[in-house]
Amino acid sequence: MNEPYSIEAQPCVLLVDDEEEILVALGDLLEESCTVLTAAEPGRALALLAAHPEISVIISDQRMPGMTGDQFLSRASACSDARAILLTGYADLDAVVAALNHGRIVAYVHKPWEADHVLSLVHEAHRTWQAQRALKVEQALLHGLMESLPFGLVFSDAQGRCIRSNRHHQGTCESDHYTAILQPVIARLREKVWEDGQAEELLEVVAEDGQRRWHEIVRLALKWPEDVPLKEAWQVSMDRDVTQRVMVEDRLNRGERLEALGRLAGGVAHDFNNLLTILGNCLEALSGQLQGDEAARATQKKWLVRALETVERGEGLTRRLLQFGRAGRNGGTVRPFDIAAFLEERASLFRHGFYGAVPAIRFVLDLPERTVPPVLTCPEQLEMALLNLCVNARDAMPDGGTVTLSASRIRHVLPAAPSSCEQDHALALDVRDEGEGMSEEVQRHIFEPFFTTKQAGKGTGLGLAGIYSFVLAHHGDVVVQSRPGEGTVMRLLLPLLKQ
């Protein structure tokens, strides 16, 4: 059928009989309330059925040359959902039984017929056909909706038995359609719906491969009829994977916090740097006014040197704070450039951080293919970010090892990527070490300002926070892959220009 779900208000009736006077008589009877099509032989009738899917009722004679009525109706049922009425000229019980078995008729009429009876049968058959088509529409809509929904949908009865599901799992119990991690949540929400009529929960789930995903589960009672008690109502459960949304929201929240902290840090660093400058000048002035004997002057000089060294460390810290503040405000000029050429030119700079390390640390640079599109970011800030990551990788390997810096074009969606950039690919810059690795707890905090795992005096806790702030400001992302004892991979994801 070309239009299987159209529903006609007026019956469209196909009359099939090899006697012309029968076709005329039935046509005259039905033409006022029906659309009438006629065929004098079954082959022609089958062609009309194929061309007119709106035919809702077939009235067919039983005895016709070449094909009996029950045989014709059996073939008609394969290409049409029209309701069939068999017309017989005598009490041919065997023909009626055959038609019931093969032709799926809804009624039969003897010749001569009663006009009111025929009209009543035709309109009743049409109403049945309408109801069947309406049911098919509902079934098609529900099936199409459930199959195309981007989330899990499970209907269950009051006893927790699955009525319908789009999860393609086997099992009559609703819990069979959920993983073992989600089953207790579903049971808890079912009980809450008994009390409130609806319930929802945002759940973090760690998959077998270690990846974290977030599920938003919404559950409702289907109040039909309206007076049914909540404990007896059917329920529908919707399980949506909202990992992407949660990550984007978290990314935006982190970016806003880092930007605000960057402004604060920049302001404090500027004022603090002025104080350090005055303090340093005073100490320099005092160094030329040492008093007392040689021993006293030596002691005074020692303390002055220590004070000046502390001032220098303070100035270094203020520079880091100012750099962090600029990163949070999208400092630097963003422009496209060749990442392979960029890494080649700066390879010696990255290697310099490993000179003299004991035990020895090997540096490996894995350059991308020249076909990688230009990356869109600030090269000066990217250089500082990679250098910082290489130094962190060195410090994570007190027993020596290999640090690998690699670049590649990967399939990854950056939600904030500009329209001029690829929407489903990104540049992945990986800094990999063979060091101590990090626990999940440490990984949750490494991008927080002033958080550090290094010994006192060896880290400010601003390096990774600054890198994260810089990457977010340049429409990218940072991904950490690490396990205790298995090393760490710090991946910077940056947008690539469309070719």
Side-chain angles (χ1 to χ4, degrees):
M1 293 177 288
N2 296 327
E3 301 176 8
Y5 299 127
S6 62
I7 300 176
E8 303 298 324
Q10 177 176 285
C12 182
V13 183
L14 173 62
L15 305 177
V16 187
D17 200 302
D18 60 325
E19 297 182 26
E20 182 67 24
E21 60 272 18
I22 298 295
L23 294 177
V24 172
L26 284 172
D28 291 342
L29 174 64
L30 299 172
E31 64 180 359
E32 290 188 5
S33 60
C34 305
T35 301
V36 178
L37 301 174
T38 61
E41 51 92 16
R44 169 62 181 164
L46 291 172
L48 286 173
L49 286 172
H52 296 275
E54 72 277 11
I55 294 174
S56 60
V57 182
I58 303 171
I59 300 179
S60 173
D61 187 24
Q62 169 61 17
R63 288 185 170 270
M64 294 182 292
M67 189 183 302
T68 61
D70 59 291
Q71 293 172 337
F72 159 68
L73 292 176
S74 178
R75 292 183 60 180
S77 66
C79 63
S80 171
D81 60 352
R83 311 296 288 174
I85 298 174
L86 186 67
L87 192 64
T88 62
Y90 53 91
D92 190 347
L93 185 60
D94 291 339
V96 173
V97 171
L100 285 170
N101 291 335
H102 303 294
R104 291 185 278 189
I105 67 172
V106 296
Y108 67 94
V109 176
H110 287 295
K111 299 177 183 178
W113 55 80
E114 295 183 6
D116 290 343
H117 181 57
V118 172
L119 284 170
S120 175
L121 287 176
V122 167
H123 285 280
E124 180 62 29
H126 176 69
R127 286 191 290 271
T128 303
W129 174 86
Q130 283 182 311
Q132 285 186 327
R133 282 224 165 170
L135 179 61
K136 285 183 178 180
V137 169
E138 296 296 327
Q139 290 175 333
L141 291 175
L142 179 60
H143 179 77
L145 177 65
M146 293 190 69
E147 290 300 315
S148 59
L149 282 174
F151 54 85
L153 189 67
V154 181
F155 292 91
S156 59
D157 64 12
Q159 289 72 42
R161 293 185 292 256
C162 178
I163 301 171
R164 188 72 61 85
S165 170
N166 66 352
R167 288 180 169 271
H168 306 294
H169 294 304
Q170 300 296 324
T172 57
C173 183
E174 181 191 19
S175 61
D176 295 336
H177 295 254
Y178 292 91
T179 62
I181 296 176
L182 293 178
Q183 287 176 4
V185 179
I186 294 300
R188 184 172 66 254
L189 294 181
R190 167 176 285 278
E191 294 181 1
K192 189 174 182 182
V193 171
W194 287 345
E195 299 174 359
D196 303 330
Q198 63 182 36
E200 61 181 272
E201 186 166 328
L202 181 64
L203 183 70
E204 183 181 5
V205 176
V206 181
E208 294 180 357
D209 59 0
Q211 288 190 340
R212 294 180 177 275
R213 307 203 68 80
W214 282 263
H215 290 256
E216 182 182 64
I217 301 176
V218 179
R219 197 172 180 92
L220 303 170
L222 301 177
K223 291 280 289 179
W224 188 87
E226 294 183 359
D227 59 347
V228 64
L230 286 175
K231 277 202 172 185
E232 297 178 14
W234 290 3
Q235 294 187 10
V236 57
S237 179
M238 292 162 278
D239 175 15
R240 186 193 302 270
D241 188 322
V242 293
T243 303
Q244 189 70 20
R245 188 192 77 191
V246 171
M247 292 178 66
V248 170
E249 291 176 352
D250 181 65
R251 182 177 183 275
L252 290 174
N253 291 335
R254 286 193 183 189
E256 290 174 357
R257 291 196 301 269
L258 286 171
E259 183 176 357
L261 186 58
R263 289 196 181 99
L264 175 62
V268 171
H270 183 269
D271 293 341
F272 186 56
N273 193 56
N274 290 337
L275 296 176
L276 288 175
T277 300
I278 295 172
L279 181 59
N281 291 337
C282 292
L283 291 173
E284 289 287 352
L286 286 174
S287 64
Q289 301 180 23
L290 302 180
Q291 298 178 355
D293 57 21
E294 184 175 348
R297 289 196 301 272
T299 300
Q300 294 170 20
K301 186 175 181 178
K302 180 180 68 173
W303 289 111
L304 281 172
V305 169
R306 290 186 179 179
L308 286 169
E309 289 175 349
T310 302
V311 169
E312 290 178 0
R313 287 197 296 270
E315 290 174 342
L317 177 58
T318 57
R319 285 194 296 272
R320 298 295 295 276
L321 284 169
L322 289 169
Q323 181 184 0
F324 171 68
R326 287 193 298 271
R329 294 192 299 274
N330 195 17
T333 303
V334 176
R335 60 181 184 272
F337 58 91
D338 183 347
I339 189 63
F342 170 85
L343 293 177
E344 282 180 338
E345 292 172 0
R346 288 157 177 80
S348 60
L349 173 66
F350 299 139
R351 287 191 177 92
H352 183 75
F354 306 105
Y355 290 159
V358 180
I361 293 179
R362 180 168 172 259
F363 177 73
V364 175
L365 180 61
D366 184 7
L367 293 175
E369 297 179 0
R370 290 291 182 176
T371 56
V372 173
V375 63
L376 183 65
T377 189
C378 171
E380 291 78 18
Q381 290 198 23
L382 179 60
E383 176 183 307
M384 294 303 299
L386 293 175
L387 183 60
N388 195 315
L389 291 178
C390 287
V391 172
N392 285 351
R394 178 201 66 189
D395 294 343
M397 298 188 297
D399 298 326
T402 300
V403 174
T404 303
L405 171 57
S406 62
S408 59
R409 177 174 178 265
I410 65 169
R411 182 173 291 278
H412 185 91
V413 176
L414 290 172
S419 59
S420 60
C421 295
E422 295 190 15
Q423 299 302 302
D424 55 356
H425 286 83
L427 174 72
L429 287 166
D430 292 348
V431 178
R432 182 187 306 271
D433 66 56
E434 300 172 341
E436 302 166 345
M438 294 180 286
S439 66
E440 292 185 3
E441 179 63 23
V442 170
Q443 292 181 51
R444 280 193 283 269
H445 299 286
I446 58 174
F447 296 121
E448 297 176 2
F450 306 109
F451 177 84
T452 180
T453 58
K454 296 181 180 179
Q455 297 178 2
K458 292 191 176 181
T460 63
L462 291 174
L464 289 178
I467 291 172
Y468 192 81
S469 183
F470 146 67
V471 172
L472 288 189
H474 291 75
H475 315 295
D477 201 358
V478 183
V479 178
V480 183
Q481 300 173 4
S482 184
R483 289 185 180 179
E486 298 182 13
T488 298
V489 178
M490 300 293 296
R491 169 168 287 183
L492 306 186
L493 293 163
L494 295 168
L496 291 166
L497 283 179
K498 292 179 180 177
Q499 292 285 65

